[in-house]
Amino acid sequence: MTTATVTRTTTTTLTASPATSATTDPVPPLLRLAWLASPALPIGAFSYSEALEAAVEHGLVHDDLSAGHWLSQQLRLLARGDLAAIAQGIVAWRANDEPTLRELARWLRVTRDGAEARLQSEQMGQSLLTWLRAQPMASPDQLARLSGCGEAGPAHYAFVMALALSTIDVPLEQALFTQAFGWAENQVQAALKAVPLGQTAGQRVLTRLAAEIPAAVAEAVATPPARRQLFAPMLSILAARHETQYSRLFRS
């Protein structure tokens, strides 16, 4: 099933200044990136299949080939949606660009088109924020600005992740590579349980996604705010059906 169609247009490429955190982090940058992409990060990502479980229930995903196709489409959606939001957020956090941060926080809030999607984004955002506050990464001023931009509502995952990544002294694309791979690894783990798939089949799916991540990152960086979107109606329908699915392993 194709969840959405990507439209390519002439875009402006993002550039990000190096991280200028007011704190001193003893953890090397590459280890920080691996940590933030790790399935062991205590934010509950393993609890969500992002409608993959509903796709299995309706026969759309049933083996490694169909799982690879499904997750490939999801990666394209991620590229022009939340991954583009993270890219723009990293640049805005490093530039202390509060108007852009406020617009981004609002976009993340209004584009969660179902109860499960909103719950996932808010829950993972709050869990990541709890973790971030205990790390020597974001400054008190940045954490205060994060709360202010959220307009008293819960900070969404992509918004908090953009702040965390902005404090790490690595190029923008490198930060996005690790985020995209972390998402892919979590989704493949969900497929192993929901389809179910064997470990070797799961690695075939992950190999396909890893090969597609560079293009997804390039699209995320090249997507301007006006072209950032999450329009995928069939995915939204499946996600809504998952809310009342009789038997579930995952929360979305």
Side-chain angles (χ1 to χ4, degrees), residues 37 83 172-182 213-215 217-218:
L83 197 61
L172 177 63
E173 290 81 0
Q174 201 170 90
L176 297 179
F177 276 138
T178 59
Q179 277 304 292
F181 186 79
I213 282 175
V217 167

Side-chain angles (χ1 to χ4, degrees), residues 6-244:
V6 175
T7 301
R8 287 181 170 83
T9 59
T10 302
T11 57
T12 301
T13 301
L14 286 174
T15 57
S17 301
T20 55
S21 175
T23 64
T24 301
D25 189 353
V27 179
L30 292 182
L31 288 182
R32 275 294 180 202
L33 288 184
W35 196 343
L36 283 169
S38 171
L41 191 69
I43 60 174
F46 63 88
S47 301
Y48 303 97
S49 79
E50 300 182 13
L52 173 63
E53 189 173 34
V56 172
E57 176 73 12
H58 289 81
L60 299 170
V61 175
H62 50 83
D63 57 13
D64 60 307
L65 291 176
S66 55
H69 179 68
W70 173 271
L71 293 177
S72 175
Q73 296 297 308
Q74 292 289 79
L75 179 60
R76 295 170 68 186
L77 181 65
L78 179 73
R80 70 175 188 273
D82 281 11
L83 197 61
I86 291 174
Q88 290 151 19
I90 291 171
V91 174
W93 277 115
R94 288 178 175 176
N96 295 315
D97 183 355
E98 188 162 331
T100 295
L101 290 172
R102 287 187 178 276
E103 184 279 328
L104 186 61
R106 180 182 178 280
W107 183 86
L108 289 167
R109 186 171 64 254
V110 302
T111 52
R112 309 305 102 169
D113 61 354
E116 289 188 338
R118 184 174 64 254
L119 172 66
Q120 177 181 352
S121 188
E122 292 178 350
Q123 180 270 304
M124 288 176 58
Q126 292 308 292
S127 296
L128 180 58
L129 181 55
T130 298
W131 177 88
L132 184 60
R133 283 173 171 154
Q135 304 297 320
M137 298 171 67
S139 69
D141 285 347
Q142 288 175 318
L143 292 171
R145 183 175 293 115
L146 184 146
S147 298
C149 290
E151 298 178 356
H156 286 257
Y157 169 76
F159 196 61
V160 184
M161 181 56 76
L163 171 56
L165 292 171
S166 75
T167 69
I168 304 173
D169 190 14
V170 293
L172 177 63
E173 290 81 0
Q174 201 170 90
L176 297 179
F177 276 138
T178 59
Q179 277 304 292
F181 186 79
W183 169 86
E185 194 171 19
N186 270 307
Q187 288 301 103
V188 168
Q189 288 297 316
L192 293 183
K193 299 173 185 176
V195 176
L197 297 178
Q199 293 290 338
T200 301
Q203 288 299 300
R204 287 197 292 269
V205 176
L206 192 58
T207 297
R208 172 177 177 173
L209 295 175
E212 294 176 0
I213 282 175
V217 167
E219 182 172 0
V221 172
T223 299
R227 299 293 299 175
R228 191 177 61 224
Q229 53 102 353
L230 290 173
F231 183 67
M234 285 303 298
L235 178 64
S236 298
I237 290 169
L238 283 172
R241 289 177 176 175
H242 186 264
E243 294 178 24
T244 57

